[in-house]
Amino acid sequence: MHRADESARSPVGAIGRVTVPIPPGGPGEVLVAVRGGSEAYTAWSATSIDRDERVVVVDSVSARGVIVERLPP
């Protein structure tokens, strides 16, 4: 059995939607489209991001934690 390529499993670059508002420097939650479905991740951002805003994952800090930025309008 071959091990899956880790880059194919990474959420970095994926688009998501905020499900729990993200305060500046604090955790919130995002639902990210990955691997043919959607997964929830704990998310941090340098700026506050409201619920239902679209974001892009810019870094992964753990298996279930990501850094996000607001998508431009």
Side-chain angles (χ1 to χ4, degrees):
M1 209 169 165
H2 291 109
R3 185 174 173 168
D5 180 9
E6 289 300 314
S7 64
R9 298 168 44 121
S10 173
V12 174
I15 304 300
R17 182 179 51 83
V18 176
T19 55
V20 175
I22 305 169
E29 186 179 87
V30 295
L31 194 59
V32 179
V34 290
R35 295 182 282 285
S38 295
E39 295 187 26
Y41 290 86
T42 301
W44 287 266
S45 175
T47 60
S48 64
I49 304 177
D50 293 328
R51 182 183 168 124
D52 291 327
E53 288 201 52
R54 288 174 33 101
V55 294
V56 61
V57 177
V58 295
D59 199 6
S60 177
V61 295
S62 70
R64 303 304 308 164
V66 295
I67 306 294
V68 299
E69 291 180 356
R70 184 180 289 112
L71 271 179

